[in-house]
Amino acid sequence: MALKSVTESFAKVIHGLSVGHLTDQVIQRSKRMILDTLGVGFLGTSTEVFHKVSEYSKIYSSNMSSTVWGRPDLRLPPTYAAFVNGVAIHSMDFDDTWHPATHPSGAVLPVLMALSEALPPSPKFSGLDLLLAFNVGIEVQGRLMHFSKEANDIPKRFHPPSVVGTLGSAAAASKILGLSMTKCQEALAIAVSHAGAPMANAATQTKPLHIGNAARHGLEAVFLAMLGLQGNKRVLDLETGFGAFYTNYSPKVLPNLDSHTWLLDQQDVAFKRFPAHLATHWVADAAVSVRKHLVTDRALLPVDHIERIVLRIPEVQYVNRPFPDSEHEARHSFQYVACTTLLDGGITVPSFYERQIHRPQVRELLGKVELEHPQDNLPSFNTLYCEISVTLKDGATFTERADTFYGHWRKPLSQEDLQEKFRANASRMLSCDTVERLIERVESLEDLEDCSVLIALLKGPSPPKMMSKSI
């Protein structure tokens, strides 16, 4: 019998998908996503926002507990372990990005890691169990975003991971916990009432909480559904349900399981080479190219030789920050990424330290930047480009354009470079031996019989004692 409810069709897919549905390409792509997400999560445990949310979360306790990545002395209830690990993942805006626009992995992986550790050791969760639940969480996010044209563009109102990520978290948790189709449907309904965060908090310390909250709230929705809490069984069908988050919302019943195809098979993710908003990666590549015209003896021409810098980019208001004052603003600044790349030849993690942001040369260059928004340069990660023109005081102008940066799904990072990114990020918290073992475990995840072997590697060494503010 054909399903008439979109929500019911989602529940059926979540409940019914099996390991046999996974394709080789989906397995390979999702393993890359898992490795990258773990790496940026480890790096994120060094940030101020991570320390604030982990201190806050210590006020909660439970009979069940899960690891905070890289912090063996800190265990939290599964919902709060998922929360702080999710915050760590997005704390530097270094996590993967999909199309339509969202950060898909950060809301899902912390939930699965927390659950696989906190639940009884029997039955064991295998690597294939993890891969299946992870991909169910990713798939649900992608399917929801395909119901609205608005989702194709860089967001203006809601931060997508806070919306679709919450339901992806609920879907992944429902899958790994083996919920019935009815309970999956209730979990989705509850999760919708937990979803949503405004773009006004982009470029602040609060933005990483969008990922952490998506992970936590999706898991809480599942726990509440397991206790019998009920919601609207047609929540994904209604404009007053999930449709409240997107204009032109047009949901459709999902295909039957026997004809299921994965969106990740059709659309890969982008992996970032430096920790900043994805749109700035086009700017960095164009700036590297134009810098070659401005260098003498490997050093940039004196800043006072430059008359003006024009960036031709899409109109994305929350990444238009002429004079950023904090690391979070700098990560969301077309202007800062352009100027820093021109000065230094590239962008790295330290590029967003306060002392780098406030360098006199950077501030002087920022004052020379102008933005233009060509009509053909639309705010979509699938089509946007960046063109940079630098005009010197002597009248000479040099122009370069970037259509696709290295790391975009059209020009994916090599496996070698993805692993190097992971090593650079994870080695800040883990020993070299542990880093290499993690790479090996993730690389052969589909052959892993017990995920506890993977979890054990996430704990890391004891960190130095830190001063903390009590609540």
Side-chain angles (χ1 to χ4, degrees):
M1 186 178 69
L3 297 176
K4 294 182 179 179
S5 162
V6 173
T7 315
E8 187 180 358
S9 75
F10 270 77
K12 185 174 183 179
V13 164
I14 294 167
H15 176 71
L17 282 172
S18 66
V19 165
H21 286 95
L22 293 171
T23 66
D24 288 342
Q25 181 167 254
V26 162
I27 288 174
Q28 294 306 316
R29 285 180 171 177
S30 55
K31 287 192 301 184
R32 284 163 58 87
M33 294 162 73
I34 288 170
L35 184 69
D36 187 66
T37 303
L38 289 173
V40 298
F42 283 120
L43 178 65
T45 62
S46 64
T47 61
E48 186 179 355
V49 63
F50 168 82
H51 291 301
K52 288 177 178 176
V53 298
S54 59
E55 285 299 316
Y56 158 72
S57 298
K58 287 178 184 178
I59 67 176
Y60 297 96
S61 62
S62 167
N63 292 332
M64 294 191 300
S65 66
S66 303
T67 295
V68 174
W69 301 349
R71 303 286 176 176
D73 60 336
L74 179 56
R75 296 182 64 83
L76 295 170
T79 49
Y80 283 90
F83 170 62
V84 298
N85 289 330
V87 169
I89 288 165
H90 196 56
S91 62
M92 291 187 180
D93 217 315
F94 211 178
D95 43 333
D96 56 20
T97 305
W98 209 13
H99 177 73
T102 195
H103 304 285
S105 300
V108 173
L109 188 62
V111 170
L112 298 176
M113 295 288 97
L115 285 175
S116 62
E117 181 180 15
L119 294 172
S122 180
K124 295 177 181 177
F125 291 119
S126 70
L128 278 173
D129 293 330
L130 175 63
L131 284 165
L132 176 61
F134 178 81
N135 278 290
V136 166
I138 302 302
E139 182 75 5
V140 163
Q141 296 178 67
R143 293 285 176 176
L144 289 169
M145 288 189 295
H146 276 78
F147 292 161
S148 170
K149 292 181 180 178
E150 180 187 357
N152 284 317
D153 295 337
I154 297 172
K156 293 181 179 178
R157 299 185 301 126
F158 293 100
H159 193 207
S162 72
V163 180
V164 296
T166 306
L167 277 79
S169 164
S174 296
K175 188 63 188 176
I176 206 159
L177 291 172
L179 266 62
S180 68
M181 184 173 154
T182 300
K183 294 295 185 186
C184 289
Q185 198 167 351
E186 299 293 5
L188 292 174
I190 299 165
V192 170
S193 282
H194 278 308
M199 288 307 302
N201 271 325
T204 73
Q205 284 189 334
T206 297
K207 186 179 178 230
L209 272 66
H210 298 175
I211 299 281
N213 280 330
R216 174 169 69 96
H217 289 153
L219 182 51
E220 286 178 346
V222 169
F223 286 159
L224 289 167
M226 292 171 71
L227 291 170
L229 192 71
Q230 297 179 344
N232 191 314
K233 291 178 173 56
R234 300 185 68 248
V235 73
L236 302 184
D237 298 71
L238 304 172
E239 283 192 11
T240 54
F242 190 79
F245 296 109
Y246 289 103
T247 56
N248 303 314
Y249 183 65
S250 181
K252 294 177 176 60
V253 172
L254 298 185
N256 290 328
L257 289 169
D258 57 6
S259 58
H260 177 79
T261 57
W262 299 94
L263 291 177
L264 188 59
D265 248 336
Q266 305 162 31
Q267 173 68 63
D268 201 359
V269 299
F271 295 109
K272 297 178 178 181
R273 303 194 319 275
F274 58 86
H277 189 276
L278 192 74
T280 67
H281 286 62
W282 280 269
V283 173
D285 273 21
V288 166
S289 297
V290 82
R291 186 178 190 271
K292 295 173 184 176
H293 302 288
L294 310 174
V295 170
T296 57
D297 297 326
R298 297 186 180 182
L300 185 71
L301 287 170
V303 171
D304 60 8
H305 285 209
I306 295 175
E307 178 72 26
R308 68 177 187 147
I309 302 165
V310 178
L311 307 183
R312 298 180 184 93
I313 49 172
E315 187 169 6
V316 183
Q317 284 302 318
Y318 74 99
V319 197
N320 175 9
R321 298 181 186 274
F323 293 96
D325 283 326
S326 69
E327 61 164 305
H328 297 283
E329 290 186 358
R331 297 183 201 282
H332 294 76
S333 171
F334 288 126
Q335 296 92 330
Y336 178 77
V337 168
C339 293
T340 299
T341 305
L342 288 174
L343 279 173
D344 302 334
I347 300 281
T348 62
V349 170
S351 298
F352 299 96
Y353 294 169
E354 295 285 338
R355 63 179 179 272
Q356 297 295 320
I357 295 168
H358 292 286
R359 284 181 293 169
Q361 278 188 306
V362 171
R363 308 311 278 191
E364 184 178 350
L365 265 189
L366 286 170
K368 301 173 185 283
V369 177
E370 303 170 14
L371 301 188
E372 294 180 359
H373 306 299
Q375 288 188 347
D376 68 335
N377 202 354
L378 302 177
S380 166
F381 291 138
N382 206 37
T383 61
L384 76 83
Y385 64 86
C386 173
E387 188 174 273
I388 296 184
S389 294
V390 177
T391 300
L392 304 182
K393 290 282 179 68
D394 63 10
T397 298
F398 303 98
T399 300
E400 294 287 349
R401 171 169 163 156
D403 290 299
T404 305
F405 67 87
Y406 180 49
H408 191 270
W409 44 81
R410 289 193 298 270
K411 195 186 291 186
L413 284 185
S414 68
Q415 188 66 12
E416 180 182 3
D417 285 344
L418 189 76
Q419 290 179 356
E420 281 305 308
K421 177 185 174 183
F422 176 79
R423 289 187 181 99
N425 289 338
S427 63
R428 294 169 181 255
M429 290 302 301
L430 305 177
S431 68
C432 291
D433 177 64
T434 302
V435 169
E436 295 306 317
R437 287 165 65 196
L438 266 172
I439 291 174
E440 292 172 7
R441 293 297 186 195
V442 175
E443 182 61 33
S444 59
L445 191 55
E446 66 268 45
D447 300 319
L448 191 63
E449 294 183 359
D450 185 355
C451 279
S452 65
V453 177
L454 179 65
I455 301 297
L457 297 173
L458 302 182
K459 298 180 180 179
S462 296
K465 294 288 185 182
M466 297 191 66
M467 297 292 290
S468 64
K469 296 178 182 179
S470 60
I471 297 179

